[in-house]
Amino acid sequence: MTLRDLEIFLEVANTKNMSKAGENLHISQPTVSHAIAQIEKEFNVVLFERVSKSLFLSDAGYKLYHSSKKLLRDFEDISLELLNTSLIKIGISEDVPLDLIEKFKRNLENKYDICLKFVLKDSNVLKKLFENNELDCLFLGENLLSSKDDLDFIDLNFVLCTKKENLSLSPHNLKFISWSNSYPIKVLKALKEKYILDTAWESSSLDSVLKLLELGPYFAFLPEIISKNYEIISDINFKKRFILHYKKDKFITKEFKILLNEFKSIKENGLVF
């Protein structure tokens, strides 16, 4: 098993389709199949189970998925250190919509000679890493860190959405997908008054929520900036504030100044993807 095999495995796990994984990695579908088969043969395991036309991770696949992600991140860190690449380490709390931040990361890295590394951990762990100067900055939900080092904030408005074909259904026939770690109490109260909160799925990934919404009579809160392909089904909504923290008394590199300027641009112009 090679690092390339693990990269291919992760792409198949993320896309749930070998052909799509091959397209994304610019390799043939037989090459993808061969890499998966090699891992399965070497360890005598089955990594995927086929449901309809999609592939889903088996128990062994889940174990390899999390281990291989960590291994590839560690390898990337080693490579960055050896290449002396401009690296900025950002602590990300669990309530941040990671998929949106990943897009911001790709946009920034395409424009500048900068590499962003996200560290995803519990907010208390992130605070300790930040205090020990193991992170350059933190991007957290509001109130997760009391600090005078707040640069600025981004407000995201979350709206309740479903697919257009679900509009004819009774609200009681829709099942809720929960993916934000917390909802305001008044929002939960309003939801319970109008809907039966039968939580069908819980996920920490916005991308997973979007895929689940396509599968059936589900509804979920989505950031308004990406809701254009869905129908807003209620006036129930809420805003969530995310704040960037960094130590102003610490030397600020040229690359970090670029990050701060891009962040300010988002505050002024909104997220654009």
Side-chain angles (χ1 to χ4, degrees):
M1 181 175 63
T2 65
L3 289 175
R4 183 56 170 166
D5 290 338
L6 290 179
E7 289 175 339
I8 294 171
F9 163 73
L10 287 176
E11 192 62 31
V12 175
N14 290 331
T15 60
K16 298 181 175 61
N17 184 285
M18 290 195 184
S19 296
K20 182 63 176 176
E23 290 176 14
N24 292 347
L25 295 172
H26 307 292
I27 57 178
S28 66
Q29 191 270 334
T31 301
V32 175
S33 300
H34 178 73
I36 300 301
Q38 283 289 98
I39 300 174
E40 291 181 326
K41 181 180 179 181
E42 182 175 346
F43 295 96
N44 193 27
V45 295
V46 175
L47 297 176
F48 294 98
E49 297 174 357
R50 183 175 292 278
V51 179
S52 186
K53 295 183 179 180
S54 297
L55 295 172
F56 292 87
L57 290 168
S58 65
D59 290 342
Y62 271 112
K63 293 177 182 177
L64 180 61
Y65 182 80
H66 294 293
S67 297
S68 57
K69 284 183 73 173
K70 182 180 184 304
L71 177 62
L72 289 173
R73 282 198 301 267
D74 290 343
F75 180 76
E76 181 184 5
D77 285 350
I78 294 171
S79 301
L80 290 170
E81 293 291 340
L82 292 176
L83 293 171
N84 195 28
T85 306
S86 300
L87 175 65
I88 299 175
K89 293 183 179 181
I90 305 177
I92 305 288
S93 62
E94 296 174 344
D95 60 338
V96 173
L98 184 59
D99 304 72
L100 297 181
I101 302 303
E102 287 283 1
K103 291 178 181 178
F104 169 73
K105 175 180 184 292
R106 288 195 294 270
N107 289 347
L108 190 67
E109 291 178 344
N110 287 335
K111 288 172 64 177
Y112 306 101
D113 183 22
I114 294 176
C115 182
L116 301 185
K117 175 178 171 52
F118 294 152
V119 178
L120 310 174
K121 293 185 180 294
D122 174 79
S123 58
N124 290 322
V125 175
L126 291 176
K127 293 174 193 176
K128 291 181 180 178
L129 293 174
F130 183 59
E131 291 168 0
N132 293 333
N133 295 317
E134 296 179 52
L135 296 173
D136 296 297
C137 58
L138 299 176
F139 191 55
L140 308 176
E142 189 175 24
N143 299 327
L144 287 181
L145 179 65
S146 298
S147 170
K148 296 180 180 179
D149 296 328
D150 300 351
L151 165 73
D152 214 330
F153 58 86
I154 296 174
D155 281 335
L156 289 182
N157 191 44
F158 288 77
V159 293
L160 204 56
C161 297
T162 190
K163 290 174 62 178
K164 186 175 182 179
E165 47 264 46
N166 293 333
L167 292 178
S168 59
L169 298 176
S170 164
H172 297 305
N173 291 330
L174 293 175
K175 296 182 178 180
F176 187 56
I177 302 173
S178 176
W179 72 279
S180 176
N181 285 346
S182 61
Y183 299 102
I185 294 176
K186 65 178 182 180
V187 169
L188 288 175
K189 183 179 178 181
L191 277 176
K192 290 177 181 178
E193 289 175 353
K194 188 169 183 179
Y195 302 95
I196 297 176
L197 277 189
D198 179 10
T199 302
W201 298 90
E202 291 187 7
S203 174
S204 60
S205 165
L206 175 56
D207 185 58
S208 295
V209 171
L210 295 176
K211 290 176 181 177
L212 288 169
L213 280 174
E214 297 297 322
L215 297 179
Y218 303 122
F219 69 112
F221 281 107
L222 296 179
E224 191 171 12
I225 59 172
I226 62 165
S227 66
K228 62 182 179 181
N229 294 326
Y230 300 89
E231 296 293 329
I232 298 176
I233 59 174
S234 173
D235 59 358
I236 302 173
N237 62 81
F238 65 94
K239 287 187 184 296
K240 201 160 188 178
R241 177 163 292 181
F242 302 93
I243 301 175
L244 185 71
H245 305 263
Y246 73 101
K247 296 179 180 179
K248 296 177 181 175
D249 58 350
K250 183 179 177 180
F251 175 74
I252 298 177
T253 64
K254 177 185 70 175
E255 291 77 18
F256 196 77
K257 287 180 181 178
I258 291 174
L259 172 68
L260 298 182
N261 288 333
E262 289 292 319
F263 189 87
K264 289 179 180 178
S265 176
I266 288 177
K267 175 59 168 52
E268 294 169 359
N269 305 314
L271 286 162
V272 179
F273 302 124

